[in-house]
Structure formats: C-alpha cells, structure tokens
C-alpha cells in the first residue's frame, strides 16, 4: 500500500490570504486523498493528492503541524463550484463526509454535535422564536434542527453556493431533510447582500453557519457583517455564529469578541462543543443579543418539548440537552482569561 | 517530499488482544513516523515507519479508520522498556510529545487539560484530602497537580515502567517537576500487586492515570482491580480513573460503569474533558466513592486556593476551574442515555 506512487497537488485555487504567512507545510496543501481512490473527475487532479494512500488528510495552514485523516472507502462526488471545491466521500468509520476546499464540514457520525448546538443554543435561549434567518448552512442540518421548534413560523436561508445544497440533497438526505420544512425559504446568494436588503428589526434569531474565515466565508467574521446582523435583529433578538476553536484560534476569537462587544449591546458569550472530526476536536460559537429584553444564554428559557409533534417527527436529539447547553458556556481557565479580558 | 520512499513497519511487539478482531487497517500498524527523521536507534526499525513522511501518525485498531498526525521536528528518544515502546519527539506546533506503544500520551501544549482534570476532579470533591495514591502517571504530571493541595500529607505513586519516569525527568522537566515534592514516595512496580499489599481503608484519593486497556494497562480496566481500589480507600474515599472517550469507546465505558456500580456503594459518575491530541479530541474519567460520607462530585467542596503557597509555586492553573469541574459531568444525550441505563 505504502509503495503506491503518490501525487502531491498544487495549491488550491482559493488563496488563503489571512494565514499565508503561517504556512510552513512545505508545499503540502490541504485536501489530500489517494489518486487510486478517484472515480471520474480525472481531469481535475489539481484539487486532490495523496499523502496517506487511501486516506483523506486535512492539512491546512490554519492548523499547522497537525492533520486529521479519515480512511476513504469511495469518493462519491467531486466538483468545483463558483466558490469552492466540493467533495463527498464514504469514510470507513464516520459515514459520508462533506469536504469544502479540503476542510471537513461534516461527517454523518458526529454532525449532530455541531448542528444541534449551533441551533438550539440560540433558539432555546429566548421564548417563542418566530422568524429565523440562517446564513450559510447549505447542507440543511441547521434547518432540520430549527424545524424541531413549533413556535417558528418563518425560516429564511441564504447560502452562497448552490452546489452545496444540491450535493447535500443527493448524498446526505438525513441532513438535507431540513429543506422539506414548508416554513423554509431558500435564497441562493451572498449573505452580506441579503442582510443589507433585510428590513431592520426583522428576526428573532440569526444563525451564521459558516466555514472558516478564508475563502467565501471570510466576510462573515468581520465587523461590518456583525453590524448588519445587529440591525436585522429585533430588540432582544439573538445571533449564533460559528466561532472557531479555543485550542487553535484564540486570536480569531479575540477579534470576534472585541467586535461583538462593540456592536451588540445585550449579552455577548462564547460557548463550545466537541466535534471529533474538526481540528482540535472542538468548535465554538459566539452568542450575542441586541439591546432589548435581557437574554441570559447560560440559563435557557425555552427547552425543546420532547412531546411536540414537530420535534418528534425528527427523532430524538442525539447531543443537545439543557444541561449541556449551560455547560457549553464554561471555559477552561486559559480561554476564560482571554475572553473576560475584553472590555464589556 | 511525497516521493521519498516509505517503509511500513511490522506489527508492534505488544499484541493488542482485545481489539484484534477490529483491525481492518490492512497491516498499517500504530506509530508511524518518517524513517528520514530518525536519529540513532537505526537498529530498531520495527517500531517506526513512514506513512506521512516527516509526520508521526497515530493509527490504531482502537480507533479504526481515523488517524491524527503531528509534524515531527526531531526524534529525541526511542527505547524499548520491559513493557512497551517509548518515544519522545519534538513536534512543530505541540511542543515535545511522549508516545507509548505508538499512542500519544501527552504533548506539552495540551497536557494541562488532562493532568489538571484527572487530579482536581477527585481532590476538589472531598474536604481535606491527606493520603493520595497514584497508579500509573509515570510522567509526573498528576503529582505536579496533587502538589497544589496543601492538605495532602502523603503521596504514594506506583508506576510499572521506570523508563517512563526517567524519560519524563529528562525531556519533560515542567511535568516531572511533580517528583520534586517531598511528600512523594515512588514505587516502581505493578499497581495491582501494590494495591493487594495496601492496608484496607488507607487512602482518601486514588488516581489511576493509565494508558489504554491494551498492553500493560489492561488489568487496570477490569473488575478485580476496582475491587482492590475500593478496599484501599477509606469510607467516603474517592477514585478517579482514565475512562476513554464517549465518541469512540462507549462499550468500554459501559463495562467500567457496570463494574463500578457493583463495587462502589457511594457515588459513580462519568466526567470528560477536551484534549486535542487524543483520538476524538476528548477523554473521560470514572469517578467513584466508597460507602461513607456522601460525595457529590458535581458540586466540588474543596476549591483550589489561589493564594495557597503550594499552589502558587506551581504557577496558575491553565485549564481547571470550579465551573468546568461541574460542566465536565454534563453529557451529550447519546452518552447520557447509555450511562444512565446502567442499574444504580
């Protein structure tokens, strides 16, 4: 196996501006998988390569010096959209895996931890949420989780990349099931432009389910974006955005925290959860509320009703519960020190 | 780089009995590192090999289909003790790394999460702990953390592998600093034999800092061992043992849980923490108390005194605090369901 010839890819088409100075990987680019596993798309060798033959390895300047690898049974899809490289493969022990620009977005085995936490942390923190906006989240998992809430009347979703939506509908039906909810209106387009056009004070909850702040999601981590989010929320409305790992990206979290403390005049809190297939095994969320009725994120007021018909039809929650909601806001001392040092 | 010739190792000398039927890694053994990185020990090629050239990759039948890899700057030590293969390397972004039988035991960057939690979860749960026993933990990190507690009068430690102690003293002085505490008595020997010889009702706290239940630590996960632990504890005394990951080893956790519920007549609880360089990014602990004064692990009664001289001399805690103590017992729904199904 190890004696198979291997091919190292050229760099990804999407230039990773922000972290380029950290790249000490000596030309090993993200997204590496054995050429022998390829089916079709042989004309697109520039987006894949082989480091561990037969395995997908996630090597990125965003987490230098470490790599997580999954054994590949079969590559099911590869494509290049207007925004990014899209790949789906069947792994040997984590189910099907969605990869964007060489970075694992979800696996069937652990997606519950991410989707349930990014959705229910905000939705369970306010009573009676009705209008919800999702930016990103093209796989549909967040929609599936929002659907559990019977109070919700309207779900707007703005995803930039139609290929992600289509690929999820084809390969991840248990995740894309979220699109079947009649309350969902899907808009394919830029989240920043969508928010600019949104009437002020519209939404109870906004969820920003983005990839990392390189490539198409970069703007979603910057101050002007948070200002638009704040304007689109009603008084006391809440936002939950993907906010990276305390083990790897404390400097990104510090930046987001500083911006949010300036913009949101209600609560600003960081929470985190475990996701084995994300770098460092954890991912965090920034939860903020606008000036208005007080939101105490740490003590949820709107528990999910196990007997509600909307919830029941989706099957039991695998990860989220009220205790883990509160626990998610407890931080290790090294992270607490940095986050609490930001002016309030 | 990828065109370097690669060498696949033969199997490890330590046969991994328990999981051998799960081995679908097609002959790829644990502990792989580039042969070009080797310095010395060229006569021992059977314990290392190359999958990602220049990287250490942890591939094991205990976590089939996934691998975590760290970039190697330099191999600092390789040896074969009476019990296991011992390796230390300088990684490019996680500091120095200790590896036993191909499995990462600690890295300088994230060891705080493991050492602080396995130690302070039990020691902060009872008032005034005086006599403490550590089984395993040869690196000395648990000793360093116990040393923060001024109430402790006596620390017995039983580690089977002297090479681990010596290697830690040489390469991990900030961890092995625990051995400098005059309250420590080190015994090199088998933990089971040590406990058999211990007078009943001796210890306030026993910490079992073991490697995985394959190789030398296997007995430390079995029922007779827990019975010996229970006898060596005073009434209301507590034990904390390394107890694997909820994402990967729920069946092992179920077994431990069932055994502990039978043996310990006080509290039996599972807690967990994040450690990026462990498989799945998390590791758990089983915390039990014997019949006697009630121990409520979830609400610690013995916070670490920031002003205590013993604690101050070790520098501030990086990970542990009272909130994260309590949060560590909150489990995702999938794990809670399994753990709470065991008869109490």
């Amino acid at each position: 196996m190890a004696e198979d010839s291997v091919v190292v890819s050229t760099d990804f088409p999407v230039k990773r501006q922000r972290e380029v100075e950290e790249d000490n990987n000596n030309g090993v680019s993200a997204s590496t998988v054995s050429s022998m596993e390829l089916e079709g798309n042989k004309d697109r060798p520039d987006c894949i390569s082989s480091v561990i033959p037969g395995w997908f390895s996630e090597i990125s300047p965003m987490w230098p010096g470490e790599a997580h690898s999954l054994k590949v049974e079969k590559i099911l899809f590869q494509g290049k959209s207007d925004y990014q490289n899209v790949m789906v493969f069947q792994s040997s022990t984590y189910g099907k895996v969605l990869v964007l620009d060489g970075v694992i977005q979800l696996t069937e085995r652990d997606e519950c931890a991410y989707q349930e936490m990014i959705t229910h942390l905000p939705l369970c923190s306010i009573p009676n949420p009705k209008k919800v906006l999702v930016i990103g989240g093209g796989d549909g998992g967040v929609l599936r989780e929002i659907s559990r809430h019977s109070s919700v009347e309207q779900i707007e979703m703005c995803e930039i990349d139609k290929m992600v939506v289509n690929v999820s509908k084809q390969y991840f039906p248990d995740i894309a099931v979220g699109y079947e909810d009649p309350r969902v209106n899907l808009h394919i387009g830029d989240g920043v432009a969508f928010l600019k056009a949104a009437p002020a004070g519209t939404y109870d909850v906004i969820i920003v389910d983005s990839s990392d702040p390189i490539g198409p999601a970069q703007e979603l981590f910057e101050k002007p974006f948070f200002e638009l989010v704040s304007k689109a929320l009603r008084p006391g409305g809440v936002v939950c955005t993907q906010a990276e790992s305390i083990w790897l990206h404390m400097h990104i979290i510090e930046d987001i925290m500083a911006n949010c403390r300036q913009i949101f005049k209600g609560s600003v809190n960081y929470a985190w959860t475990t996701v084995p297939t994300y770098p460092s095994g954890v991912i965090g969320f920034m939860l903020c509320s606008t000036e208005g009725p007080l939101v105490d994120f740490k003590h949820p007021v709107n528990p999910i009703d196990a007997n509600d018909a909307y919830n029941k039809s989706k099957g039991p929650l695998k990860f989220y519960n009220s205790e883990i909601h509160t626990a998610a806001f407890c931080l290790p001392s090294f992270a607490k020190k940095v986050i609490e040092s930001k002016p309030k």
Side-chain angles (χ1 to χ4, degrees), chain A:
Chain A
M1 183 159 122
E3 286 171 1
D4 281 299
S5 68
V6 288
V7 182
V8 170
S9 75
T10 58
D11 280 336
F12 261 63
V14 178
K15 191 68 183 167
R16 308 185 164 219
Q17 295 294 351
R18 244 176 110 151
E19 306 279 341
V20 78
E21 73 283 3
E22 287 179 43
D23 189 348
N24 59 0
N25 286 320
N26 303 323
V28 178
S29 71
S31 184
T32 56
V33 76
S34 167
S35 56
M36 74 186 182
E37 297 288 336
L38 278 178
E39 305 209 343
N41 284 295
K42 297 231 184 222
D43 58 337
R44 200 175 287 116
D46 62 335
C47 70
I48 49 150
S49 70
S50 176
V51 169
I52 308 185
W55 293 60
F56 169 86
S57 287
E58 194 181 69
I59 301 179
S60 164
M62 272 202 70
W63 36 91
E66 66 185 299
H68 192 255
S69 305
L70 295 177
K71 190 166 195 293
V72 176
E73 293 294 323
K74 191 176 184 178
I75 293 182
L76 302 170
F77 177 85
Q78 281 194 98
K80 185 163 165 23
S81 74
D82 291 342
Y83 303 97
Q84 53 204 342
N85 290 291
V86 180
M87 179 165 74
V88 178
F89 69 87
Q90 179 71 48
S91 69
S92 68
T93 55
Y94 276 82
K96 289 198 283 287
V97 182
L98 174 66
V99 178
L100 299 181
D101 278 350
V103 176
I104 292 172
Q105 300 300 308
L106 61 83
T107 82
E108 289 181 310
R109 183 161 147 201
D110 63 7
E111 56 93 11
C112 61
Y114 179 81
Q115 317 275 19
E116 292 183 18
M117 292 298 272
I118 197 173
T119 304
H120 304 306
L121 287 176
L123 280 163
C124 295
S125 291
I126 58 170
N128 207 29
K130 288 182 178 161
K131 289 191 179 184
V132 184
L133 168 63
V134 182
I135 307 279
D139 54 69
V142 168
L143 298 177
R144 179 191 68 198
E145 295 306 314
I146 297 170
S147 290
R148 294 181 184 274
H149 291 261
S150 58
S151 69
V152 170
E153 295 168 358
Q154 183 187 335
I155 310 170
E156 302 296 320
M157 159 121 168
C158 185
E159 161 64 50
I160 202 166
D161 195 340
K162 193 167 188 180
M163 188 182 277
V164 174
V165 177
N166 292 338
V167 159
S168 187
K169 286 181 176 173
Q170 186 171 355
Y171 295 100
F172 299 93
D174 294 344
I175 298 170
V177 66
Y179 285 108
E180 292 172 16
D181 191 307
R183 296 170 291 181
V184 172
N185 298 311
L186 172 62
H187 310 265
I188 297 296
D190 174 45
V192 175
F194 186 89
L195 276 172
K196 277 182 184 160
T202 303
Y203 296 103
D204 299 287
V205 179
I206 297 177
I207 296 173
V208 186
D209 176 12
S210 70
S211 48
D212 294 315
I214 46 178
Q218 187 160 347
E219 274 190 280
L220 308 186
F221 287 77
E222 292 168 0
K223 200 167 171 178
F225 176 73
F226 288 112
E227 284 167 347
L228 291 170
V229 166
S230 172
K231 280 181 195 150
L233 287 170
R234 57 118 170 126
V238 296
V239 59
C240 180
T241 88
Q242 191 271 92
E244 301 296 340
S245 160
I246 50 168
W247 283 110
L248 295 175
H249 298 123
M250 212 61 216
H251 60 293
I252 298 178
I253 297 169
E254 273 192 88
D255 286 353
I256 300 174
M257 199 73 186
N259 288 338
C260 288
R261 286 231 193 270
Q262 281 178 32
I263 293 163
F264 295 94
K265 302 300 180 194
S267 317
V268 175
N269 288 106
Y270 185 85
W272 58 317
T273 191
T274 158
V275 182
T277 56
Y278 285 171
S280 85
V282 302
I283 191 87
F285 309 104
M286 193 64 70
L287 287 125
C288 311
S289 68
T290 55
E291 198 167 20
L294 178 73
V295 178
D296 177 3
F297 285 109
K298 298 180 188 178
H299 299 98
V301 294
N302 181 32
I304 296 182
D305 184 350
N307 297 315
D308 183 272
Y310 276 106
N311 182 20
K312 262 191 171 165
S313 70
K314 299 282 175 301
L317 288 163
K318 291 177 187 162
F319 196 91
Y320 179 89
N321 54 58
S322 294
E323 297 90 66
I324 215 155
H325 179 128
T326 298
F329 293 90
C330 297
L331 299 175
S333 298
F334 74 85
K336 201 174 163 177
K337 196 173 154 188
V338 174
I339 283 174
E340 291 182 355
S341 72
K342 294 288 144 198
K344 293 188 186 181

